[in-house]
Amino acid sequence: MTENGSGSIGRPIGRRALLATGAATALTLKTVSFAHAAPGPGGGSGAARPDETKVVRGTLPPGAPDFVYLPVEVPHVVRQLTVSYTYEKPPQQPGTQGNALDIGVFDERGTALGGAGFRGWSGGARTEFFIRADDATPGYLRGPVRAGTWHIALGPYTVAPQGLPYTVTITLAYGEPGTTPAPAYPPPRAKGRGRAWYRGDCHLHSVHSDGGRTPAEIAALARAAGLDFINTSEHNTTSGHRAWQGLWGDDLLIMTGEEITTRNGHVLALGTEPGHFVDWRYRARDNRFGHFARGVRAAGGLVVPAHPHATCVGCNWKFGFGDADVVEVWNGPYTPDDEVSLLEWDNSLVAAARSGGRWLPAMGNSDAHRDPDRVGGPQTVVLADDLTRAAIQAGLRAGRSYVAESAGLSLSFSLAGGRGRHAGIGERLRAAPDEPVTARLDVTGAPGCTVALVTDQGTRHTAALPAPGTGTVTWETTPANAAYVRAEVRHPATAPAFPGPLAAFTNPVFLGG
């Protein structure tokens, strides 16, 4: 590995500060110092000083640590920090990984895992960012640029066989820092309709991470999609929490969260307290996820592993589901990896039914980033006591929900036994083992679709809906033959030996004592 400053000769450096932080290993490079520091507090404003720039170049080898920290000594009376970076992307043969380098920054409070020093992350979405007291690049947290050792965080996501040459340019602008406006966060409740079914999309990206839409555009699309609630979920940053002022209303609940994007899978922190940051710098082998999952819940959020079988680098979920509250089974347009996630989730229902243990509810979200990604495609429809953060989370946690491809599709699903007893989605129908039980599904808005009723014994009943897509399907069983029943609504198959894409599915209704 080599490193050099502007105008100096590159020289090899050892892993002089290879840190075992209790999480992914990290390498700390040589500190960048600005030779002519501005006066300290009380020693003049420094407003007349010209900007100063330093350039650092180096090469990260294959097998580089997950995170490489470049310390920067920031003097007093700095008004703005600006960082830009570039790196080489030589072409590779098919099947060989190329170079991908992420970037972020920690302030003078340090880089400790879960510490207070986090000031922003843009991954690979941006090549430049700035921070000052009154503003910052989306993805970064505005606030004063205080004196001390800051750390630019480089994240070599993949490294080509010939290495990853990079250049980082750091510019300090001197002057009085100014003031930081108080953030305006979304309120935890909207007007609502009392106990009702509410539609939402809890996995969305804006310009505050790698999305192409502004929060205003997302809010408008959410309303157009018939949604009642959304959840912000930027990759590894909370900067977007303050960006929704004026966009919430009686008709739209906006919850704040994060997509915690580790090297071993992604997980949604759904509905955490505004401003609450969750660290992502660990792998499954570090045995740290449980700690941060508890932190999400302590901050009022739900833990939701996202697209657990996605094929993108680092997206496949490796942490298990013991710390999850809900799992995202359907992510965006329905694909084979969603089908795998659905089957794995169904297997978990079988295991829970047989052991009598806790079962994990499922949900679906769009993961929309930019056009033509469809906000609300799919969406989770939740039975909640009101349109509040707490009520929506309670409905999701209890599994009182189904997933639909759009607001044009609605359904109701329940089981009924003797003496007027019945149970809805996410509930349990108490019935004797041999007692007849009737499952009933009512669907609207699913033209050309087929219904499947699925139990712990597999798919037990199928029926085609009438051509207009509105119909009722019933089926009789007993608790001895079905530990649970759930419903799927599918489009016609588009490929041999592969089931048709989902149009909707429900969480299960359980049977038995």
Side-chain angles (χ1 to χ4, degrees):
M1 186 177 296
T2 60
E3 173 194 36
N4 65 301
S6 180
S8 68
I9 299 173
R11 60 193 183 280
I13 61 172
R15 296 196 172 186
R16 52 181 291 273
L18 185 61
L19 305 177
T21 63
T25 56
L27 174 69
T28 300
L29 303 176
K30 181 180 178 182
T31 299
V32 176
S33 296
F34 284 77
H36 304 291
S45 70
R49 294 191 57 81
D51 296 354
E52 288 192 84
T53 297
K54 297 284 186 178
V55 179
V56 175
R57 297 180 177 87
T59 299
L60 301 176
D66 287 346
F67 300 99
V68 176
Y69 296 107
L70 175 60
V72 179
E73 288 294 340
V74 175
H76 292 281
V77 200
V78 171
R79 181 177 60 85
Q80 179 171 305
L81 167 71
T82 303
V83 177
S84 64
Y85 80 121
T86 61
Y87 61 94
E88 295 181 15
K89 302 177 184 178
Q92 303 296 323
Q93 294 295 322
T96 301
Q97 290 184 335
N99 285 332
L101 185 63
D102 294 343
I103 196 167
V105 70
F106 292 78
D107 67 17
E108 84 289 350
R109 290 170 290 183
T111 63
L113 192 65
F118 175 78
R119 289 297 294 271
W121 182 257
S122 50
R126 299 183 183 279
T127 59
E128 182 174 346
F129 66 85
F130 75 89
I131 295 175
R132 63 173 185 259
D134 65 332
D135 201 5
T137 300
Y140 294 81
L141 307 183
R142 62 190 181 188
V145 182
R146 294 179 291 264
T149 303
W150 289 52
H151 289 83
I152 297 167
L154 301 176
Y157 213 68
T158 57
V159 178
Q162 57 267 60
L164 193 160
Y166 65 88
T167 300
V168 179
T169 302
I170 308 140
T171 299
L172 300 184
Y174 294 99
E176 294 298 332
T179 59
T180 302
Y185 292 133
R189 63 173 53 245
K191 186 175 182 180
R193 305 182 299 277
R195 186 172 176 84
W197 291 92
Y198 295 100
R199 294 175 177 269
D201 188 347
C202 293
H203 190 166
L204 296 161
H205 295 280
S206 77
V207 294
H208 282 265
S209 57
D210 59 344
R213 293 167 173 150
T214 65
E217 290 170 328
I218 292 173
L221 290 169
R223 288 182 165 98
L227 301 184
D228 302 296
F229 65 91
I230 58 175
N231 176 72
T232 71
S233 56
E234 310 295 358
H235 294 286
N236 301 337
T237 184
T238 58
S239 73
H241 289 190
R242 61 174 172 79
W244 299 86
Q245 187 171 8
L247 300 177
W248 58 79
D250 288 346
D251 63 331
L252 185 65
L253 173 70
I254 299 175
M255 298 185 288
T256 55
E258 181 183 339
E259 184 172 10
I260 307 159
T261 307
T262 80
R263 300 297 178 86
N264 285 163
H266 302 183
V267 57
L268 303 177
L270 194 162
T272 47
E273 289 290 339
H276 180 79
F277 166 68
V278 186
D279 214 318
W280 77 100
R281 294 170 296 157
Y282 43 85
R283 290 179 179 258
R285 66 189 177 213
D286 299 315
N287 198 29
R288 287 301 185 97
F289 177 67
H291 168 78
F292 287 100
R294 290 189 292 274
V296 169
R297 283 189 282 272
L302 300 181
V303 178
V304 185
H307 46 65
H309 288 279
T311 56
C312 47
V313 175
C315 293
N316 205 260
W317 184 247
K318 303 292 188 184
F319 294 91
F321 297 95
D323 290 300
D325 297 303
V326 186
V327 60
E328 184 189 77
V329 166
W330 183 354
N331 175 276
Y334 200 74
T335 57
D337 61 88
D338 295 310
E339 186 70 20
V340 174
S341 296
L342 181 74
L343 294 173
E344 179 183 55
W345 171 67
D346 189 70
N347 286 340
S348 76
L349 297 180
V350 174
R354 292 177 181 172
S355 69
R358 168 180 169 267
W359 67 279
L360 185 64
M363 70 181 306
N365 299 299
S366 73
D367 199 2
H369 284 68
R370 58 185 56 80
D371 292 340
D373 297 352
R374 185 167 59 89
V375 172
Q379 54 196 249
T380 301
V381 191
V382 186
L383 179 60
D385 289 336
D386 209 344
L387 188 52
T388 68
R389 183 182 72 176
I392 294 296
Q393 289 175 322
L396 290 170
R397 189 185 296 110
R400 297 193 304 266
S401 62
Y402 67 90
V403 180
E405 61 186 0
S406 74
L409 192 155
S410 295
L411 62 80
S412 64
F413 182 58
S414 63
L415 301 186
R419 289 178 286 185
R421 287 174 292 120
H422 69 277
I425 299 170
E427 298 177 339
R428 177 177 291 274
L429 180 67
R430 305 289 178 180
D434 59 352
E435 180 180 336
V437 171
T438 300
R440 178 184 173 119
L441 177 71
D442 296 289
V443 184
T444 62
C449 289
T450 298
V451 168
L453 299 181
V454 183
T455 78
D456 57 313
Q457 301 301 312
T459 299
R460 302 303 304 274
H461 182 71
T462 61
L465 290 171
T470 297
T472 298
V473 175
T474 61
W475 175 65
E476 189 171 289
T477 186
T478 66
N481 290 320
Y484 63 83
V485 186
R486 62 179 184 84
E488 297 177 356
V489 183
R490 290 185 181 264
H491 293 285
T494 57
F498 190 78
L502 280 177
F505 77 93
T506 72
N507 274 298
V509 184
F510 285 87
L511 287 140

